């Protein structure tokens, strides 16, 4: 497994509570809140154990009727304890939950900050969907542990230990009876607990399958409906849901049996203790109040042990989640700035050289996407890349953006080897118009401003005009404030492209990388997009993957690619004269127009 591969649920670091230590790094930042949480937790736990003492006083003094003052005192004590218990429990809840929410917010931010800088290679090895679920599901698990399970565990741990000691002091004999049933309970808890854990893990996996299935089919609803596969999809989904249910049923069954056994054992031993305790009360060696207090305290202690067992499995799940998040947090981008990156000047001319490039994608190491590839683009030149699908055209853009590093050769811009610069520094000089326009959920204004965040409203408007997008934007319901859906579905393909072009115009970078959309536009939109593109290309070094005849014809130079290499180059008229790949391609792609 490559170092970058994030483990899935099944491969999660197993049961290592040590992994929870990752959390400490985040919790540590909030020591005052942590201290308060612990303080109130200890107070709340202590009050729980003291309540039976007050009860003991009330029973012993109250029922005998000969010490009314003492009864009142015990009742007052009882109320004070109750008040302290209520207040400290509420405050513990506040601080612990606050910590959970705060820590999870910090973890989410830290993980996202890391993810957003990782190179595409990471997301090829790890499915983005899976990673997003880590960001939401795993962090939610952590939230439940920091914000609740851990405090439940700590409180019950305190009650269990302190209560056991107290019970021994109150009546070693009765405690000895209880202790007899103890090993059986523990052994059962451990064995059955393990089974429950395995089952709940597979139950989670099945639920994830359900999610994946729904995600896939709902995401491609138009294909599903166009092929009239609604019923088929529904039954595939139903199978996934039923599988999840079957596993859940097994888990529930085991848990119910565990619940039966636990309750039977606990209350069975309470009954045994009660029987023996009543003998002691009759013989006078114990007061009725003391017996009641003992039973009550024993019930609290038993409850505490039960809760400990219950949260233990949750702690383990959270440990797995913490481990996986720690892996995400430490994931290293394959594309990094060197220790002392070379700083490029503010303004560059856009002189690009790709020299002797050999490149294979990390996921397809045995297949060269570019072989001994050489290309120089002079400042201000427009170079069109054409070639059959899979020739390597997009790969050239990917390398120029330094999403990957070539295995051999180097890429320089204005004499700077891009591998020696900080990617975020040199990418400032590039502007990309991708084939698929990405529209973010937000207004048209925000979407264009994505090209340069500090652009003023006027600059955005000017860019929109230059991209021939102004008219349709003004005609939209709210003009530039019109909200675009998550995927920009409310505007046409041609309009999207013009927004992408406006974004690139606003960016105003000297090097333009253009992956022309292949989607067929109507003649009117095509003309508008073409005008916008021409405006954009003026005065910039442009490398364009060309699908439009107009772009190809206007290019200063056309590079014909096949199989990861250059097979011909020249202008349109030069190449069209030769009988070769270009002629065949242009006949096919551009029809008889040429
Ligand atoms: P098209 O016009 O269809 O987009 P192209 O000329 O742009 O094709 P590239 O996308 O550069 O071709 O692909 C070149 C080769 O690299 C192909 O064999 C392709 O399968 C492979 N390839 C492209 N992207 C990846 C990737 N992310 N991981 C692995 N292999 C890839």
């Amino acid at each position: 497994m490559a170092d970058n591969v994030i483990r899935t649920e099944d491969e999660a670091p197993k049961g290592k509570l040590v992994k929870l230590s990752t959390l400490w790094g985040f919790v540590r930042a909030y020591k005052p809140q942590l201290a308060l949480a612990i303080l109130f937790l200890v107070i709340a736990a202590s009050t729980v154990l003291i309540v039976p003492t007050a009860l003991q006083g009330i029973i012993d003094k109250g029922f005998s009727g000969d010490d009314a003052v003492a009864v009142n005192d015990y009742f007052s004590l009882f109320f004070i304890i109750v008040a302290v218990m209520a207040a400290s429990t509420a405050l513990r809840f506040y601080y612990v939950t606050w910590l959970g929410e705060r820590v999870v917010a910090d973890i989410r931010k830290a993980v996202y900050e890391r993810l957003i800088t990782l190179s595409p290679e990471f997301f090829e090895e790890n499915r983005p969907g899976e990673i997003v679920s880590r960001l939401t599901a795993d962090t939610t698990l952590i939230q439940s542990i920091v914000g609740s399970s851990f405090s439940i565990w700590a409180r019950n741990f305190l009650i269990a230990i302190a209560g056991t000691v107290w019970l021994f002091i109150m009546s070693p004999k009765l405690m000895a009876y209880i202790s007899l049933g103890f090993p059986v309970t523990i052994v059962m808890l451990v064995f059955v607990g393990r089974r429950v854990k395995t089952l709940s893990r597979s139950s989670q996996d099945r639920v994830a399958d359900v999610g994946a299935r729904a995600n896939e089919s709902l995401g491609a609803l138009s294909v599903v409906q166009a092929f009239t596969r609604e019923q088929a999809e529904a039954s595939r989904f139903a199978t996934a849901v039923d599988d999840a249910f079957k596993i859940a049923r097994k888990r529930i069954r085991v848990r119910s049996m565990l619940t039966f056994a636990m309750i039977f054992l606990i209350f069975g031993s309470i009954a045994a203790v009660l029987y023996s305790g009543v003998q002691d009360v009759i013989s006078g060696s114990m007061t009725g109040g003391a017996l009641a207090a003992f039973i009550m305290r024993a019930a609290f202690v038993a409850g505490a042990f039960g809760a400990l067992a219950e949260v233990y499995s949750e702690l383990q799940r959270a440990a797995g989640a913490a481990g996986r998040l720690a892996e995400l947090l430490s994931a290293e981008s394959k594309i990094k700035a060197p220790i002392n990156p070379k700083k490029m000047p503010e303004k560059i001319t856009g002189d690009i050289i790709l020299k002797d490039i050999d490149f294979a994608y990390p996921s397809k190491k045995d297949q060269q996407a570019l072989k001994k590839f050489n290309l120089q683009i002079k400042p201000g030149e427009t170079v069109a890349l054409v070639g059959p699908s899979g020739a390597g055209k997009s790969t050239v853009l990917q390398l120029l953006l330094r999403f990957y590093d070539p295995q051999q050769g180097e890429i320089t811009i204005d004499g700077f080897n891009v591998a020696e610069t900080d990617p975020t520094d040199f990418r400032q000089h590039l502007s990309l118009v991708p084939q698929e326009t990405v529209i973010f959920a937000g207004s048209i204004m925000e979407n264009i401003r994505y090209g340069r965040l500090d652009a003023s409203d006027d600059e955005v408007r000017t860019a929109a005009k230059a991209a021939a997008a102004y008219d349709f934007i003004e005609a939209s319901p709210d003009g530039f404030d019109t909200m675009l859906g998550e995927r920009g579905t409310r505007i046409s393909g041609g309009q999207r492209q013009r927004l992408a072009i406006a974004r690139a115009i606003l960016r105003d970078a000297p090097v333009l990388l253009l992956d022309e959309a292949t989607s067929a536009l109507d003649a009117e939109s095509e003309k508008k997009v073409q005008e916008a593109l021409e405006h954009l290309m003026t005065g910039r070094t442009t490398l364009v993957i060309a699908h439009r005849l107009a772009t190809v014809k206007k290019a200063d130079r056309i590079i014909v690619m096949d199989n990861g290499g250059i097979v011909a180059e020249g202008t349109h008229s030069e190449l069209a004269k030769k009988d070769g790949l270009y002629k065949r391609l242009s006949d096919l792609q551009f029809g008889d127009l040429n």
Side-chain angles (χ1 to χ4, degrees):
M1 200 187 312
D3 337 337
N4 254 349
V5 180
I6 298 305
R7 287 181 272 193
T8 60
E9 183 88 32
D10 277 344
E11 300 162 314
K14 297 229 161 54
K16 298 270 186 319
L17 291 187
V18 178
K19 289 283 170 194
L20 288 174
S21 58
T22 321
L23 296 182
W24 176 238
F26 287 92
V27 177
R28 194 167 49 189
Y30 303 103
K31 280 192 187 125
Q33 286 84 354
L34 180 65
L36 284 169
I38 293 174
L39 174 73
F40 291 120
L41 189 139
V42 172
I43 297 178
S46 315
T47 48
V48 169
L49 286 176
I50 295 170
V51 166
T53 305
L55 183 78
Q56 178 178 353
I58 292 168
I59 293 177
D60 284 345
K61 307 289 177 195
F63 290 154
S64 61
D66 43 51
D67 193 350
V69 181
V71 170
N72 286 345
D73 284 351
Y74 277 107
F75 260 113
S76 311
L77 176 69
F78 192 80
F79 277 115
I80 291 168
I81 295 171
V82 168
V84 172
M85 177 157 65
S88 55
T89 307
L91 285 164
R92 171 193 52 85
F93 171 79
Y94 176 83
Y95 283 108
V96 169
T97 319
W98 184 95
L99 262 180
E101 296 282 354
R102 187 63 261 165
V103 162
V104 162
D106 289 353
I107 294 179
R108 284 194 176 129
K109 282 195 267 183
V111 171
Y112 185 79
E113 261 171 38
R114 169 64 58 155
L115 287 178
I116 200 83
T117 62
L118 294 176
S119 58
E121 186 180 340
F122 181 85
F123 296 96
E124 275 163 29
E125 289 168 352
N126 302 282
R127 282 175 299 149
E130 160 94 20
I131 292 176
V132 170
S133 110
R134 297 277 155 259
L135 196 59
T136 49
D138 276 346
T139 47
T140 308
L141 258 178
I142 302 280
Q143 182 178 336
S144 85
I145 140 136
V146 181
S148 128
S149 308
F150 193 73
S151 99
I152 296 179
W153 182 85
R155 187 182 66 219
N156 287 297
F157 184 76
L158 277 180
I159 294 178
I161 300 300
T164 306
V165 172
W166 200 332
L167 288 175
F168 258 116
I169 295 170
M170 283 179 86
S171 170
K173 188 181 87 179
L174 293 186
M175 196 54 201
Y177 285 138
I178 295 181
S179 308
L180 286 181
F182 218 70
V184 186
T185 319
I186 295 288
V187 167
M188 205 162 67
L189 270 179
V190 170
F191 282 103
V192 184
R194 243 182 235 161
R195 174 97 183 109
V196 170
K197 207 184 104 199
T198 331
L199 286 173
S200 51
R201 184 176 297 155
S202 30
S203 173
Q204 274 168 25
D205 287 350
R206 293 292 82 78
V207 171
D209 288 349
V210 169
R213 186 106 299 160
N215 208 351
E216 187 184 66
S217 46
L218 294 179
L221 201 62
S222 50
V223 177
V224 173
Q225 294 186 348
F227 283 88
T228 55
R229 286 288 170 268
E230 295 92 329
Q231 276 311 319
E233 284 300 336
S235 64
R236 256 166 35 123
F237 184 76
T239 313
V241 171
D242 286 339
D243 284 350
F245 170 72
K246 276 179 206 148
I247 295 280
R249 196 174 49 193
K250 268 195 200 159
R251 194 194 68 222
I252 300 167
R253 210 178 284 150
V254 176
R255 271 202 90 132
S256 331
M257 285 185 321
L258 183 67
T259 309
F260 166 78
M262 291 295 293
I263 293 181
F264 186 77
L265 274 171
I266 290 168
F267 285 91
S269 47
I270 287 179
V273 168
L274 201 58
Y275 177 76
S276 161
V278 168
Q279 307 293 325
D280 287 349
V281 174
I282 292 170
S283 72
S285 60
M286 195 177 197
T287 67
L291 178 62
F294 185 91
I295 300 285
M296 192 180 194
R297 197 163 284 135
F300 286 155
V301 170
F305 274 109
L308 277 182
E310 216 161 274
V311 289
Y312 180 73
S313 65
E314 236 186 82
L315 285 182
Q316 274 189 323
R317 274 180 42 192
R324 288 188 297 273
L325 284 171
E327 284 177 334
L328 275 189
L329 278 170
S330 59
E332 288 283 344
S333 180
K334 287 276 159 75
I335 302 295
K336 277 189 291 209
I339 297 169
N340 291 312
K342 294 215 168 114
K343 185 103 186 83
M344 293 177 81
E346 284 268 300
K347 286 244 172 298
I348 63 161
T349 60
D351 185 2
I352 301 172
I353 300 176
L354 289 102
K355 197 167 158 234
D356 292 334
I357 304 289
D358 273 338
F359 175 70
Y361 282 94
S363 53
K364 274 198 205 159
K365 289 207 171 72
D366 48 354
Q367 191 194 331
Q368 292 271 310
L370 291 180
K371 289 173 222 154
K372 288 275 159 285
F373 188 86
N374 280 288
L375 177 65
Q376 173 163 21
I377 313 172
K378 291 189 281 306
E381 193 183 17
T382 297
V383 169
L385 292 179
V386 298
S389 181
K393 305 176 300 280
S394 310
T395 307
V396 175
L397 293 202
Q398 301 265 333
L399 291 185
L400 267 176
L401 281 158
R402 205 183 163 214
F403 289 148
Y404 302 90
D405 279 334
Q407 282 87 28
Q408 285 291 331
E410 61 176 34
I411 299 171
T412 60
I413 297 185
D414 275 29
F416 284 88
N417 182 345
V418 295
E420 291 171 3
T421 61
D422 182 339
T424 50
D425 176 31
F426 100 84
R427 283 182 196 144
Q428 303 280 348
H429 304 289
L430 308 182
S431 187
L432 170 74
V433 181
Q435 192 168 63
E436 277 281 320
T437 305
V438 176
I439 299 287
F440 294 97
S443 67
I444 291 184
M445 181 69 87
E446 285 162 349
N447 264 288
I448 299 180
R449 191 172 278 137
Y450 205 83
R452 183 157 56 86
L453 292 183
D454 61 2
S456 69
D457 286 5
D458 275 346
E459 286 174 311
V460 172
R461 282 169 204 282
T462 315
K465 274 188 193 138
Y470 194 78
D471 290 347
F472 92 79
I473 297 175
E474 282 296 286
S476 305
D478 299 313
F480 276 84
D481 294 328
T482 307
M483 296 303 284
L484 299 176
E486 266 205 336
R487 296 186 189 169
T489 40
R490 285 179 232 161
I491 51 173
S492 75
Q495 290 169 340
R496 274 158 160 260
Q497 285 181 17
R498 279 177 277 156
L499 285 190
I501 294 167
R503 203 183 265 169
I505 291 177
L506 193 64
R507 184 156 178 93
D508 197 21
V511 177
L512 176 64
L513 303 177
L514 185 60
D515 196 351
E516 272 187 348
T518 42
S519 59
L521 297 177
D522 61 74
E524 178 71 15
S525 306
E526 164 93 45
K527 193 166 156 278
K528 286 195 171 134
V529 169
Q530 197 57 45
E531 278 168 18
L533 282 177
E534 276 163 29
H535 193 102
L536 176 60
M537 290 193 257
T538 325
R540 295 174 218 274
T541 307
T542 307
L543 184 64
V544 46
I545 298 181
H547 295 289
R548 294 192 178 95
L549 180 63
T551 316
V552 176
K553 274 187 158 170
K554 287 226 169 77
D556 300 316
R557 200 151 41 108
I558 299 161
I559 305 288
V560 188
M561 288 185 68
D562 195 13
N563 238 334
I566 297 176
V567 290
E569 64 175 281
T571 60
H572 173 68
S573 53
E574 284 165 14
L575 290 168
K577 278 187 216 131
K578 295 186 197 155
D579 224 7
L581 179 59
Y582 182 76
K583 192 161 163 38
R584 277 210 312 282
L585 275 175
S586 63
D587 284 349
L588 276 175
Q589 208 160 339
F590 313 126
D592 297 331
L593 289 169
N594 46 343

